[in-house]
Amino acid sequence: EAQVTQNPRYLITVTGKKLTVTCSQNMNHEYMSWYRQDPGLGLRQIYYSMNVEVTDKGDVPEGYKVSRKEKRNFPLILESPSPNQTSLYFCASSFGQGIGYTFGSGTRLTVV
Amino acid sequence: KQEVTQIPAALSVPEGENLVLNCSFTDSAIYNLQWFRQDPGKGLTSLLLIQSSQREQTSGRLNASLDKSSGRSTLYIAASQPGDSATYLCAVQDSNYQLIWGAGTKLIIKP
């Protein structure tokens, strides 16, 4: 089954404790992206990647890191999480920007 | 800077009604516009994609229109069903190929 898999689905952590949210796709998509979704706001892009070893900042990259060492994986790293990073996170992949996006099920992160 | 607005934020209608969801955007220089559906605890599902050169797209009971000059799109749902209950999001792809999202309309269809 073609899908984007995110883990974990839920995570509660403390301020400053490094964490990684994994994202993996099995569709050989070149384009991958991370978004955060907050109440009353639309999805906002954190980082995106056009291909292996190519990553770019989105609208809200501060406090996040990503890597794209393999085509299928695009982990999101929070080196020192803060409470304002409490949010719902989505990973997505596509053959090209804006075309046929497939989204993961989301990761609900709470930073206390 | 492109801004996308969806009105209303929430809508509750009886089963069987036809309904329209609205999406507006401030900059008409878009590449395409997409409608998505979001179910609680699940990811987003792409419903319809309208290229900037197109006026509308249809899929089953769904019809999406695009009026680029006025900065508007509508999603028409015919003969609504309880299973249509979800949050509907629209997103425009701007000239930099980035998706700009609306905050969504939460739709409840009452049996």
Side-chain angles (χ1 to χ4, degrees):
Chain A
E1 179 187 355
Q3 59 185 1
V4 175
T5 304
Q6 286 179 236
N7 280 298
R9 292 288 308 278
Y10 302 92
L11 178 61
I12 301 174
T13 190
V14 296
T15 299
K17 185 178 182 181
K18 180 179 179 180
L19 66 92
T20 299
V21 184
T22 64
C23 175
S24 180
Q25 51 94 2
N26 62 1
M27 296 163 283
N28 203 35
H29 285 170
E30 292 185 344
Y31 181 85
M32 297 186 74
S33 181
W34 276 102
Y35 296 89
R36 62 177 287 173
Q37 185 180 33
D38 300 291
L41 301 176
L43 275 77
R44 293 177 294 170
Q45 191 177 51
I46 303 171
Y47 270 95
Y48 65 97
S49 170
M50 301 289 285
N51 213 326
V52 175
E53 301 293 0
V54 180
T55 62
D56 282 295
K57 296 178 180 179
D59 294 324
V60 288
E62 293 77 22
Y64 304 94
K65 288 175 57 179
V66 293
S67 68
R68 188 88 182 275
K69 298 178 181 178
E70 306 167 283
K71 198 170 189 178
R72 63 183 294 126
N73 296 321
F74 191 45
L76 179 68
I77 303 160
L78 284 72
E79 294 272 3
S80 183
S82 62
N84 64 12
Q85 293 179 297
T86 293
S87 187
L88 178 60
Y89 291 86
F90 287 103
C91 179
S93 73
S94 170
F95 280 116
Q97 286 182 294
I99 304 298
Y101 278 88
T102 301
F103 280 80
S105 298
T107 296
R108 186 165 294 281
L109 172 65
T110 302
V111 183
V112 298
Chain B
K1 182 182 177 182
Q2 178 76 269
E3 292 182 0
V4 179
T5 304
Q6 291 185 248
I7 295 174
L11 180 63
S12 179
V13 301
E15 180 179 5
E17 283 197 5
N18 303 323
L19 58 97
V20 174
L21 306 182
N22 297 295
C23 173
S24 61
F25 47 95
T26 55
D27 187 346
S28 61
I30 65 170
Y31 195 66
N32 59 48
L33 183 143
Q34 294 179 258
W35 283 94
F36 293 83
R37 168 181 173 144
Q38 183 176 17
D39 293 284
K42 296 186 178 180
L44 289 83
T45 303
S46 180
L47 298 174
L48 291 164
L49 168 68
I50 310 177
Q51 300 292 351
S52 61
S53 59
Q54 297 175 322
R55 296 285 292 183
E56 67 178 342
Q57 284 286 329
T58 298
S59 176
R61 294 183 294 108
L62 304 180
N63 176 278
S65 67
L66 175 64
D67 184 342
K68 207 171 64 166
S69 61
S70 68
R72 293 180 182 177
S73 175
T74 61
L75 179 65
Y76 175 83
I77 302 177
S80 58
Q81 304 169 358
D84 294 330
S85 297
T87 296
Y88 291 81
L89 299 162
C90 75
V92 300
Q93 189 180 33
D94 66 13
S95 54
N96 294 318
Y97 300 101
Q98 298 305 310
L99 279 181
I100 314 299
W101 297 77
T105 294
K106 184 176 182 179
L107 176 64
I108 297 174
I109 307 298
K110 296 175 290 186

